[in-house]
Amino acid sequence: MTDFLRSETSPPPPALSDLFLVFGRVGLLSFGGPAGQIGMMHRVLVDEKRWLSEERFLHALNYCMLLPGPEAQQLATYAGWLLHGRRGGIIAGTLFVLPGFLVIVALAAAYALYQDTHWLPALLFGLKAGVLAIVIEALLRVAKRALKSRFLIGVAVAAFIALFFFGVPFPLVILAAGISGFLKARGGRSTKPDVESKVPHLLRQIRGVLVGILIWQMPLLLFWLLAAPSALIELQEFFSRLAVVTFGGAYAVLAYVAQVAVETHHWMTASEMLDGLALAEATPGPLVLVLSYIGFLAAFRHPGMLDPMLAGVLGAGVAAWATFVPSFIFIFLGAPYVERLRDNAALSSALSAITGAVVGVILNLSVWFGLHVLFGKVDRVELLPQINFGMSLPDWHSLDLASLALFVVSATMLFRLKFGMLPVLGLCIGAGFIRLWLG
């Protein structure tokens, strides 16, 4: 597979053991939501290891932004596929999620037994201040490399304005960017790609789709054969439907998920849902891992004939399986075609415009995240309700000086002293628990 993805001048792919170690590290340190996670992968894969070129990384990112589901995990899968085919994609995509999944299961089990989260505010206080600096660094890195023309800068600015001031849905912003890029390059010449990508035969692709769907829905067959608790079946069905409509990241669907989990199925209370979100924010990996917390509590409280703890672990696993397996299917089936688009001027320009929009998306996430980290109260003010024009404004009296100080220290460590993520996060977590100890 990888023989078709590399040019004669490309460096040899890394050993599988190196791929395993690098993505294990990425999975352990992937805090900061999609902005921080994408920035971290860019630093490791493009700048440090030089396993992927700038163009290959951004091209993969463009495709992942078009897909439903967790874009950062899909990007990790795409990168692994580029380096070692499907085997590499499975390793990279799994390791990106696995550390966070194990942590969220352990936290969900402790929560189900004790419901003690008094330590969470201290942990989140430290983490969020440090992650804000990491997100800003990621934004600057991606923007510097991606915005190579005035057109792309304009797309980034337009995307930010549409999201921040008008609240335009994320999929519409990405779609508009792609159309603008396509129209701009319409009639342009095709260029010869620097890689060759072999597209599988159509029948093989159809077989791949059917096999992928069978693997994805295998838990339903097993639950039916083993007469598993109905909660596990409900979790598989619900999160399978959710997996194909979650455009725009976890925040775009959390309100709907909370409504179903709390009001429809009565798996948890509203306050428990908020605690789960806080737990997910305190763990590495995609924020959508909060679904595993929901799955754990749902199955733990409706275990049927199973031990509640075993049922909870199975529920968390079902939620993760239904959520993340489609991402592997999207990458393995779509990536060969996407790689061939690099020799099409119009479609390549469309994907490049999506890169510009992604910078605007990351900027919007950074501003939103920064406001909620540094201020205790943030409200959206409608300036022109007739056209849905407004903006998020903080209550300046709610400024958290401790968070501001820790953010300044974290930014200094990253930008001036060139410390890595691990020392910064370690300092921030320690500062959070010192604050808790001091009361």
Side-chain angles (χ1 to χ4, degrees):
M1 173 68 73
T2 52
D3 292 340
F4 298 109
L5 302 176
R6 313 187 68 86
S7 67
E8 296 180 358
T9 59
S10 298
L16 277 177
S17 58
D18 292 334
L19 189 76
F20 189 93
L21 291 174
V22 165
F23 278 98
R25 170 192 166 198
V26 169
L28 286 170
L29 298 178
S30 56
F31 295 94
Q37 292 158 358
I38 291 169
M40 182 184 180
M41 281 190 281
H42 182 276
R43 175 197 290 177
V44 173
L45 300 177
V46 178
D47 294 338
E48 294 180 6
K49 298 297 183 180
R50 300 187 183 278
W51 288 347
L52 296 177
S53 67
E54 186 76 31
E55 292 73 20
R56 301 298 297 281
F57 182 90
L58 293 177
H59 188 77
L61 174 60
N62 296 336
Y63 173 59
C64 295
M65 294 301 293
L66 293 173
L67 299 175
E71 59 269 26
Q73 186 257 350
Q74 292 162 349
L75 178 60
T77 305
Y78 199 131
W81 176 80
L82 286 173
L83 295 168
H84 269 289
R86 292 186 179 179
R87 182 168 52 175
I90 292 173
I91 291 173
T94 302
L95 288 177
F96 184 82
V97 173
L98 186 60
F101 171 76
L102 296 177
V103 172
I104 200 70
V105 168
L107 292 176
Y111 184 85
L113 293 174
Y114 308 110
Q115 292 203 338
D116 180 9
T117 59
H118 77 280
W119 49 272
L120 259 182
L123 178 61
L124 292 176
F125 158 76
L127 270 178
K128 287 183 176 180
V131 165
L132 177 58
I134 293 170
V135 167
I136 292 175
E137 185 199 32
L139 168 65
L140 295 176
R141 178 182 294 108
V142 174
K144 181 180 179 181
R145 303 293 182 87
L147 304 182
K148 298 179 179 179
S149 67
R150 291 182 179 179
F151 171 74
L152 294 179
I153 294 174
V155 170
V157 172
F160 173 76
I161 292 174
L163 291 164
F164 186 77
F165 291 102
F166 291 94
V168 177
F170 168 85
L172 293 182
V173 172
I174 296 298
L175 179 62
I179 292 174
S180 67
F182 180 85
L183 295 177
K184 182 177 183 298
R186 192 174 181 180
R189 294 182 178 180
S190 296
T191 57
K192 185 178 180 181
D194 62 349
V195 294
E196 294 294 334
S197 178
K198 185 176 181 180
V199 176
H201 190 273
L202 178 60
L203 291 179
R204 185 178 176 185
Q205 287 289 82
I206 294 174
R207 183 179 63 183
V209 171
L210 295 177
V211 171
I213 293 175
L214 178 62
I215 293 173
W216 181 29
Q217 296 302 316
M218 184 65 70
L220 276 180
L221 176 61
L222 295 177
F223 294 154
W224 180 76
L225 291 175
L226 299 176
S230 60
L232 294 177
I233 297 175
E234 291 174 351
L235 288 169
Q236 172 71 20
E237 292 177 343
F238 173 61
F239 290 125
S240 293
R241 293 194 302 270
L242 196 69
V244 296
V245 297
T246 51
F247 292 94
Y251 284 115
V253 295
L254 278 179
Y256 171 67
V257 172
Q259 182 180 12
V260 172
V262 174
E263 299 178 7
T264 303
H265 292 293
H266 305 289
W267 290 331
M268 61 187 61
T269 65
S271 63
E272 289 173 337
M273 180 67 195
L274 292 175
D275 287 342
L277 180 58
L279 289 172
E281 289 180 333
T283 61
L287 183 61
V288 76
L289 279 171
V290 69
L291 302 183
S292 290
Y293 162 88
I294 296 172
F296 187 99
L297 288 189
F300 180 87
R301 291 168 177 171
H302 303 86
M305 299 297 293
L306 298 176
D307 175 77
M309 193 60 65
L310 173 60
V313 173
L314 289 175
V318 165
W321 184 271
T323 300
F324 294 109
V325 167
S327 296
F328 292 98
I329 299 173
F330 293 145
I331 297 303
F332 294 156
L333 295 181
Y337 293 98
V338 174
E339 286 298 304
R340 289 188 66 86
L341 292 180
R342 299 180 67 203
D343 66 342
N344 184 295
L347 294 178
S348 181
S349 177
L351 290 176
S352 295
I354 291 173
T355 298
V358 167
V359 175
V361 171
I362 296 176
L363 176 58
N364 178 64
L365 288 173
S366 302
V367 173
W368 183 91
F369 187 61
L371 290 175
H372 286 80
V373 168
L374 300 179
F375 296 91
K377 184 178 180 181
V378 180
D379 296 313
R380 180 170 176 83
V381 178
E382 295 296 337
L383 302 177
L384 292 174
Q386 299 85 349
I387 58 173
N388 197 34
F389 179 76
M391 61 186 299
S392 296
L393 288 176
D395 180 351
W396 292 96
H397 295 94
S398 68
L399 176 64
D400 188 336
L401 294 177
S403 292
L404 177 61
L406 191 54
F407 163 68
V408 171
V409 172
S410 301
T412 302
M413 292 176 66
L414 279 173
F415 291 100
R416 175 75 63 163
L417 303 178
K418 305 299 182 182
F419 280 86
M421 285 182 58
L422 195 57
V424 172
L425 292 175
L427 172 71
C428 293
I429 293 172
F433 281 106
I434 290 174
R435 191 190 197 196
L436 175 65
W437 179 64
L438 295 175

